[in-house]
């Protein structure tokens, strides 16, 4: 009689088919710890409607000094095992989530986009996924942004809603960054409140402003999958689903 009270809401898919921010390369950062875990996380992405993945392990000094040489064999192995296990996801490519620290600046000085000697590996095309420290702003960010743009990159700032030092100030930092042509990638779980109320509020504010250019799961582990599934079944998600689909460019990269 009261079955309807316990019935799960329908699982709506993610509002995109290309994931471009996740930590599923095994054993190289604070994401997946093994090939088995990576395959399980990939299966969840498939369940959530993802068809293509660009993997983005951390590039953060000194903790995660990942290079293309380190990631390439792991990426190839994961791609092969996913195919063998009949996971219907195209492991499209890998890049990095570049923390804007000294080692990134050093890397940046090796060459511009397109130079054979350039060691930066962008997302598909010229897009670069960059992130700030969570504890303090990047010094002279505008100069760094100008330099990267003039070097030929398009910039995608990962989870801008999570930098609490940018919140407040009437959104000035966000307006400035968008004016400088920096695009924003908001985390899906921010809308669910996973990172706290301030971050949640910022995610919705960015959406209202039209500043959500890309979305990502920033998936690290199984707990993220479980929470995301819960959110994808929620009434709140159903309410913002169309707006999210209309706002983002994940599938047009
Ligand atoms: Fe990340």
């Amino acid at each position: 009689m009261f079955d309807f009270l316990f019935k799960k809401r329908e699982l709506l898919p993610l509002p995109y088919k290309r994931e471009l921010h996740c930590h599923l390369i095994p054993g190289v950062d604070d994401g997946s710890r093994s090939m088995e875990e990576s395959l399980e996380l990939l299966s969840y992405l498939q369940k959530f409607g993802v068809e293509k993945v660009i993997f983005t392990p951390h590039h953060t000094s000194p903790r995660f000094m990942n290079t293309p040489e380190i990631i390439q064999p792991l990426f190839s192995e994961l791609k092969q095992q996913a195919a063998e296990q009949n996971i219907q996801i195209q492991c499209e490519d890998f890049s990095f989530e570049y923390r804007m620290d000294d080692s990134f600046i050093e890397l940046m000085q090796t060459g511009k986009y397109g130079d054979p000697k350039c060691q930066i590996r962008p997302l598909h095309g010229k897009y670069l996924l960059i992130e700030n420290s969570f504890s303090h702003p990047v010094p002279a960010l505008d100069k760094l942004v100008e330099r990267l743009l003039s070097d030929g990159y398009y910039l995608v700032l990962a989870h801008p809603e999570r930098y609490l030092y940018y919140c407040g100030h009437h959104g000035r930092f966000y307006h400035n960054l968008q004016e400088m042509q920096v695009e924003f990638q908001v985390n899906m779980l921010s809308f669910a409140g996973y990172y706290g109320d301030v971050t949640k509020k910022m995610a919705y504010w960015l959406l209202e402003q039209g500043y959500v250019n890309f979305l990502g799961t920033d998936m690290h582990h199984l707990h993220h999958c479980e929470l995301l599934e819960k959110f994808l079944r929620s009434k709140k998600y159903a309410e913002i689903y169309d707006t999210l689909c209309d706002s983002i460019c994940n599938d047009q990269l």
Side-chain angles (χ1 to χ4, degrees), residues 21-23 56 58 97 129 131 158-159 162 187 218-220:
H21 184 176
C22 62
H23 300 267
T56 52
H58 285 290
E97 180 181 12
L129 186 69
E131 69 160 354
H159 36 64
R162 295 190 62 196
N187 281 7
D218 199 1
M219 187 180 280
H220 283 68

Side-chain angles (χ1 to χ4, degrees), residues 29-49:
D29 61 9
D30 55 350
S32 168
R33 290 157 300 179
S34 66
M35 193 58 75
E36 291 69 32
E37 190 177 354
S38 298
L39 292 166
E40 194 176 1
L41 299 178
L42 263 184
S43 299
Y44 266 98
L45 284 180
Q46 182 184 338
K47 182 178 179 182
F48 299 157

